[in-house]
Amino acid sequence: MPRKKQSPPRDPEQVAGNGLLDRRALFMGAAAAAGGAAVPGQALADPLPVEPWMKVPGAPFVAYGQPSKHADKVVRIFANAPGTSGTGTSRTPHHLLDGTITPNGLHFERHHSGIPDINPEAHRLVIHGLVKRPLVFTVDALMRYPMESRVAFIECAGNSALLYQKEPAQLGVQPIHGLLSCAEWTGVRLATLLEDAGVDPRAQWILAEGADAAAMSRSVPLAKAMDDALVALYQNGEPVRPSNGYPMRLLLPGYEGNMHVKWLRRIKLTEGPTMTKDETSKYTILQNDGKSLQFCFPQEAKSVITRPSPGMNLREPGLYEISGLAWSGYGRIAKVEVSADGGGSWAAAALQEPVLPKAVTRFRMPWRWSGGPATLQSRATDDSGYVQPSRSRLIADRGARTIYHFNGIASWGVAQGGEVKHVYA
């Protein structure tokens, strides 16, 4: 009788194939658990020398703080559309950041006709249409209303569009997934302003319009406007920056980025959607049968490993932390699983608190790299039960004729020499 083949025994700290470890290993002497392999860069504790910067007084105060000159690579990358200036995108360097809040100077941007130079004294927000009392607000008038803060992500509908391509783009996290950022936004609930204006019962939608040269505009269901929409005046505690909508922008937590209309100047209440150029010529999902899905507002659950990722090659075998970001426009992230063997086995990652609805969540997983090939993946599940699909499943269901709402699993291949590349798996 043939004997059943036995699998090699696992280390007690191992929770999935190819070296994924229990989170507790990091708190119980991970270097020892990793078979004697130290964390790369770790050294014995010798007495520290007195460095040159300890021998002279430091720099004086400045009016507005700046990052260290040694962190000069932590910057956005950007590209203008051909023949334009200021029309295009800039992308957040998630592979060089940690935590969940994006610094204001690194928040991604998408402009349809550049950044307007708005005088806040002259700027006005109008609410009209199907209301009892059309209202006009100055910035100062809005500042007198009760304000609240909310942590929320904004993701461009075209983020990660490169994964619709037939071959994996040989690029890293920033150019592929950099059209995502998360901030604490502070402002006035749009519902408060609409209630002041008096909503006509016939109204079911609003039109939001910006004060840029493109007059960017989108239709939004009134139910969303009354639920959790914010007229944001502050971003991470300071006035919203011009590139992100100064002096005010619309915040629609969980919805695709272009709907968070920047430089907000007009809200019109209507019976139906207005069918603006931005929601008919763009931001629809073209399917294989030639029909388009329109008004696909919330961003589906998604995750991406930011470290290690392409361009951050591994120098030697040993212990590493796999870390990344997960988010869902439908609510909270309930679970993120990580695989080091291309989806052959999965283990639950630790979620960093606070885990907030419609905000970015940081996940972490210890990993002992053996020095051999590996394929790293992450898979998010939100509290509605939705599970992030594989790339192949997403394209089988939706097709690859669109550039919007890609939320399939991304894969980073680790070669035997430690090089990390974008792969399809």
Side-chain angles (χ1 to χ4, degrees):
M1 180 177 178
R3 301 183 65 179
K4 187 177 180 180
K5 187 176 180 180
Q6 298 286 321
S7 300
R10 278 183 172 178
D11 293 338
E13 296 83 2
Q14 189 168 322
V15 292
N18 215 6
L20 294 182
L21 303 178
D22 190 295
R23 176 70 176 167
R24 290 171 296 179
L26 286 178
F27 305 104
M28 298 169 63
V39 174
Q42 190 179 64
L44 296 176
D46 292 328
L48 296 173
V50 178
E51 302 288 358
W53 51 82
M54 300 176 67
K55 300 177 182 177
V56 294
F61 294 105
V62 295
Y64 200 96
Q66 297 295 315
S68 165
K69 64 180 181 182
H70 303 290
D72 60 354
K73 292 184 171 55
V74 187
V75 294
R76 293 178 295 203
I77 56 174
F78 54 91
N80 292 321
T84 70
S85 60
T87 299
T89 59
S90 67
R91 297 170 188 253
T92 299
H94 289 297
H95 61 304
L96 300 177
L97 301 175
D98 210 306
T100 56
I101 298 295
T102 308
N104 289 344
L106 298 175
H107 198 287
F108 91 89
E109 301 166 10
R110 169 73 173 103
H111 308 314
H112 294 78
S113 191
I115 304 167
D117 181 14
I118 294 179
N119 177 359
E121 299 292 332
H123 186 76
R124 299 290 183 270
L125 170 63
V126 175
I127 294 181
H128 68 135
L130 294 175
V131 294
K132 295 176 182 174
R133 297 175 298 280
L135 297 174
V136 180
F137 300 92
T138 64
V139 175
D140 283 345
L142 285 177
M143 297 282 283
R144 298 174 65 177
Y145 277 81
M147 289 200 279
E148 64 180 51
S149 298
R150 186 172 304 148
V151 176
F153 76 83
I154 298 180
E155 181 183 23
C156 176
N159 195 31
S160 316
L162 288 170
L163 272 78
Y164 281 118
Q165 294 182 355
K166 291 183 178 179
E167 300 296 329
Q170 291 313 311
L171 299 168
V173 167
Q174 187 171 16
I176 298 177
H177 302 289
L179 296 177
L180 162 83
S181 296
C182 186
E184 181 196 65
W185 305 94
T186 302
V188 182
R189 289 180 64 90
L190 179 55
T192 301
L193 305 180
L194 296 179
E195 286 166 358
D196 267 8
V199 178
D200 186 308
R202 292 173 295 166
Q204 296 298 316
W205 290 74
I206 68 168
L207 169 71
E209 181 182 87
D212 57 331
M216 176 69 191
S217 54
R218 287 299 309 263
S219 298
V220 181
L222 179 62
K224 177 67 174 178
M226 299 299 287
D227 179 21
D228 59 359
L230 207 65
V231 178
L233 299 159
Y234 292 88
Q235 176 185 354
N236 294 331
E238 68 175 10
V240 172
R241 293 194 171 187
S243 59
N244 268 299
Y246 181 82
M248 64 186 74
R249 74 177 300 169
L250 183 62
L251 181 75
L252 299 169
Y255 276 24
E256 62 182 27
N258 66 86
M259 300 182 70
H260 304 238
V261 174
K262 294 182 286 192
W263 316 293
L264 185 65
R265 70 186 294 265
R266 188 162 74 101
I267 298 285
K268 182 179 181 181
L269 281 76
T270 59
E271 291 188 68
T274 304
M275 298 298 183
T276 70
K277 64 177 174 58
D278 297 295
E279 59 200 31
T280 52
S281 63
K282 309 184 187 70
Y283 302 116
T284 63
I285 297 177
L286 179 59
Q287 302 178 105
N288 279 336
D289 62 4
K291 296 181 179 178
S292 288
L293 297 174
Q294 195 174 25
F295 301 137
C296 306
F297 297 146
Q299 296 291 103
E300 298 84 354
K302 184 172 173 180
S303 67
V304 60
I305 293 171
T306 56
R307 189 180 63 245
S309 59
M312 306 173 72
N313 298 339
L314 308 183
R315 295 181 180 177
E316 56 187 338
L319 184 69
Y320 292 85
E321 182 182 72
I322 297 172
S323 180
L325 302 172
W327 61 99
S328 172
Y330 286 91
R332 286 181 172 82
I333 289 297
K335 179 173 65 175
V336 178
E337 298 164 287
V338 172
S339 175
D341 54 11
S345 59
W346 296 88
L351 302 185
Q352 178 177 295
E353 296 290 347
V355 179
L356 300 172
K358 303 171 186 175
V360 161
T361 296
R362 170 71 60 178
F363 64 87
R364 304 181 188 278
M365 166 67 73
W367 177 45
R368 184 181 61 213
W369 181 48
S370 67
T375 302
L376 305 180
Q377 297 178 328
S378 62
R379 180 171 65 187
T381 301
D382 67 20
D383 60 2
S384 75
Y386 177 88
V387 181
Q388 182 182 4
S390 66
R391 175 182 175 276
S392 58
R393 181 72 264 166
L394 179 75
I395 291 178
D397 290 344
R398 183 183 297 170
R401 300 178 67 180
T402 182
I403 61 171
Y404 297 123
H405 283 250
F406 184 95
N407 72 317
I409 292 172
S411 304
W412 305 140
V414 181
Q416 189 158 358
E419 183 183 13
V420 185
K421 298 180 67 175
H422 181 208
V423 298
Y424 288 160

